[in-house]
Amino acid sequence: MPAFRSLGEEQVRALVRYVRTLQGKGEARTLPVGDATHGKDLFYGKGECSACHMISGQGGFLGPDLSNYGAQASADTILGAIVNPDRVVPAGYRSGVATTRDGTRVAGVIRNEDNFSLQIMTADGSFHFFEKSDLQKMEYPQEPLMPTNYRARLSASDLNDLVSYLTSTSASPIKKNAVKRTSDDAEEVTE
């Protein structure tokens, strides 16, 4: 990258502002006021979020992995995604119920579908593969798999705590092989 000696001070500032917009860090983030530790307890307990969602390898797999969700979404967006009953289901997480010719019903998340076949993943993690010609009926329920009653199930304080946890998970990456200075010219690798 060339030096910027030929640019004036205002041009350098404009360039820095532009580069920061490319990084997606144009706005300062406002973090929710809540107890992230209690939010984690809610995520894996009373809120039952971990039945479908995963964070850092822990939890379910029917819903999207939320490990980095807090880095990409504002606190208001996260809260809206939790409490909005009319939320849009992300691509790849649409629910479906397949009924075979013998009357067996299989409900879950549609993982793949084309004109001739269908793959559904059920809550236990099993994949079921169907030829559409072998199905009696295929239904696409309008209601999302994610509960729509979190405002009734959790208090406002609980919701703040849950949002705090979700924003904090991506804010603290695991540091491996960090370098610790022990003197001016010596370094010690810590793990």
Side-chain angles (χ1 to χ4, degrees):
M1 184 172 199
F4 294 107
R5 290 184 197 104
S6 63
L7 299 178
E9 185 177 332
E10 185 52 39
Q11 290 173 316
V12 170
R13 289 180 195 273
L15 182 61
V16 168
R17 280 193 303 272
Y18 174 70
V19 169
R20 286 187 176 150
T21 64
L22 294 177
Q23 294 173 328
K25 298 183 180 186
E27 295 180 16
R29 290 176 46 112
T30 303
L31 297 177
V33 179
D35 178 1
T37 303
H38 183 244
K40 181 178 182 178
D41 293 341
L42 290 167
F43 185 87
Y44 291 101
K46 180 180 177 183
E48 299 176 344
C49 310
S50 65
C52 294
H53 296 283
M54 178 182 301
I55 291 182
S56 300
Q58 295 181 325
F61 38 80
L62 278 181
D65 184 327
L66 300 179
S67 299
N68 293 313
Y69 182 58
Q72 302 164 2
S74 70
D76 289 338
T77 300
I78 294 170
L79 179 62
I82 294 169
V83 299
N84 182 2
D86 298 323
R87 69 180 68 88
V88 176
V89 177
Y93 295 97
R94 191 169 108 182
S95 61
V97 180
T99 305
T100 62
R101 293 201 185 278
D102 68 1
T104 304
R105 291 174 48 92
V106 177
V109 174
I110 299 170
R111 288 298 188 202
N112 196 10
E113 180 177 18
D114 59 28
N115 291 338
F116 307 100
S117 64
L118 172 75
Q119 292 90 42
I120 294 180
M121 184 172 71
T122 55
D124 65 357
S126 299
F127 278 87
H128 300 267
F129 302 93
F130 300 102
E131 294 291 327
K132 284 188 170 179
S133 60
D134 294 336
L135 295 178
Q136 181 185 105
K137 179 170 55 169
M138 185 62 206
E139 301 168 79
Y140 302 93
Q142 293 302 309
E143 63 277 351
L145 290 176
M146 186 169 161
T148 57
N149 64 346
Y150 278 111
R151 283 208 192 272
R153 292 171 62 180
L154 301 174
S155 69
S157 175
D158 285 344
L159 289 168
N160 281 338
D161 294 348
L162 184 56
V163 171
S164 291
Y165 171 63
L166 291 171
T167 58
S168 73
T169 58
S170 58
S172 57
I174 298 170
K175 294 181 182 178
K176 291 196 175 197
N177 297 328
V179 176
K180 176 183 169 187
R181 296 232 178 250
T182 56
S183 68
D184 289 342
D185 55 2
E187 293 180 350
E188 177 182 304
V189 177
T190 60
E191 297 205 34

